[in-house]
Amino acid sequence: MRSVKLLVTLGLIAAAAVGCGDQGAASGGHTGDHSPRDRARRVAAAWEGSEAARAWRDGYYPLGAAVQLPEGAFHNDADKRAYTTQNFELRASLPGAPVKRGKVRWGDGDSLTVPLTSARAAYDKLGRGRNSGPALTVTGVRLGDMTMATSRGAATVPAWLFTIKGYDTPLKRVAVTPSETPRSPIGAVREQTAELGPLAGLEAIGGDGRTLTLRAEHGACDDGPAVDVLEAGSMVVFSASVRGTSDGPCTSELRVEKVKVKLRRPVGDRILLDAFTGRPVAYGRSGSDS
């Protein structure tokens, strides 16, 4: 099967999935009559001044990892393997149900009251391994906070702090979940092509605030993915494509590759959008929890 056909098939599935929450939204389907650049402009225009943009700016949307490791992690390969295989040993009592709500606080004084997750829920997301290999031993658990990059800048966020045997500082896991993603004012593209497809997520934002690492899909018989950037007002729109597609026989394999892009100025509080879906680009892998 050709890589292009593979991408188109997957794109139809993806478009159907992301479109479920956008039924009734303004049409934005790319049909070949408009270039990916035109599509990006339409996405930016639809979001500018929209109710979705206002809701996004009022919410909590993390742009960083849900877990922050102890200082000096890891001391050895065994500890690293224990973490990557999610193998933990609990030798402490987990706190009972905490106060039901906490606050996310930004540097400009704004705050948002949000529901808290339990220590048990946080620990269960860390320790899914439960295998006979090396394990990290948890000797204490308490509620604290951590600094998190968000769509509105750095924020102080409630977090569960897990004391790990052998480490001087705790492992931190965020104790709140992101706000619900607002309904997009523009629908997803109906068909994926080599010229325009969905992104697989945001991997990281560099220390300069301008260098972004994105995750993009491609097939086994092409030259890899590319990402075009449109900076328009308070929006940044990314258009993912595939380079060097072939019409010859190809295995039906989907690959995800990291692609770095550099913006003209730091992200700040601008909304990062996917031209294909018409929705904000999610941090991390598609479907991963925060």
Side-chain angles (χ1 to χ4, degrees):
M1 183 178 182
R2 294 185 309 161
S3 61
V4 175
K5 288 182 179 178
L6 169 65
L7 290 170
V8 170
T9 301
L10 290 166
L12 288 170
I13 298 172
V18 299
C20 289
D22 291 332
Q23 292 179 4
S27 174
H30 171 69
T31 62
D33 296 330
H34 303 281
S35 70
R37 196 71 171 179
D38 289 337
R39 165 67 181 181
R41 292 190 184 97
R42 293 171 65 193
V43 170
W47 273 83
E48 194 68 53
S50 68
E51 181 59 37
R54 287 189 288 273
W56 182 266
R57 292 197 169 89
D58 288 339
Y60 160 64
Y61 301 99
L63 298 179
V67 174
Q68 292 179 1
L69 299 176
E71 293 177 8
F74 292 97
H75 292 336
N76 50 55
D77 289 341
D79 283 1
K80 184 176 181 179
R81 180 183 172 193
Y83 178 73
T84 55
T85 58
Q86 296 185 298
N87 207 31
F88 286 75
E89 182 179 350
L90 183 61
R91 292 188 181 177
S93 298
L94 291 171
V99 290
K100 293 185 178 181
R101 303 182 75 81
K103 280 192 175 183
V104 177
R105 294 181 171 86
W106 285 271
D108 60 4
D110 282 351
S111 65
L112 180 67
T113 301
V114 291
L116 293 180
T117 56
S118 68
R120 169 56 67 183
Y123 177 76
D124 286 346
K125 288 178 179 178
L126 286 174
R128 293 168 173 162
R130 298 181 177 86
N131 58 67
S132 59
L136 291 171
T137 302
V138 176
T139 60
V141 186
R142 64 184 176 87
L143 186 63
D145 57 51
M146 61 189 277
T147 300
M148 169 75 72
T150 78
S151 59
R152 296 165 60 180
T156 300
V157 182
W160 288 107
L161 311 186
F162 295 90
T163 302
I164 306 297
K165 183 178 179 180
Y167 292 87
D168 295 332
T169 60
L171 179 152
K172 302 179 180 182
R173 194 184 199 288
V174 67
V176 296
T177 55
S179 302
E180 184 178 353
T181 302
R183 182 188 182 96
S184 175
I186 186 169
V189 169
R190 287 189 288 272
E191 291 187 4
Q192 181 176 349
T193 66
E195 288 74 34
L196 184 61
L199 285 166
L202 171 67
E203 182 81 12
I205 298 177
D208 61 359
R210 296 175 56 204
T211 305
L212 278 62
T213 303
L214 301 159
R215 297 171 55 82
E217 300 172 351
H218 68 105
C221 303
D222 53 52
D223 295 332
V227 178
D228 183 61
V229 182
L230 173 68
E231 297 183 62
S234 59
M235 312 292 157
V236 180
V237 187
F238 302 102
S239 302
S241 60
V242 176
R243 299 177 288 109
T245 56
S246 171
D247 289 335
C250 185
T251 58
S252 55
E253 181 181 354
L254 179 67
R255 299 177 178 179
V256 177
E257 186 175 323
K258 297 176 185 178
V259 179
K260 284 192 175 183
V261 299
K262 193 157 189 174
L263 306 182
R264 292 194 302 269
R265 58 187 178 88
V267 173
D269 62 356
R270 291 185 291 172
I271 304 176
L272 307 180
L273 299 168
D274 183 342
F276 183 89
T277 64
R279 295 165 63 93
V281 180
Y283 173 81
R285 300 184 181 187
S286 177
S288 65
D289 81 294
S290 297

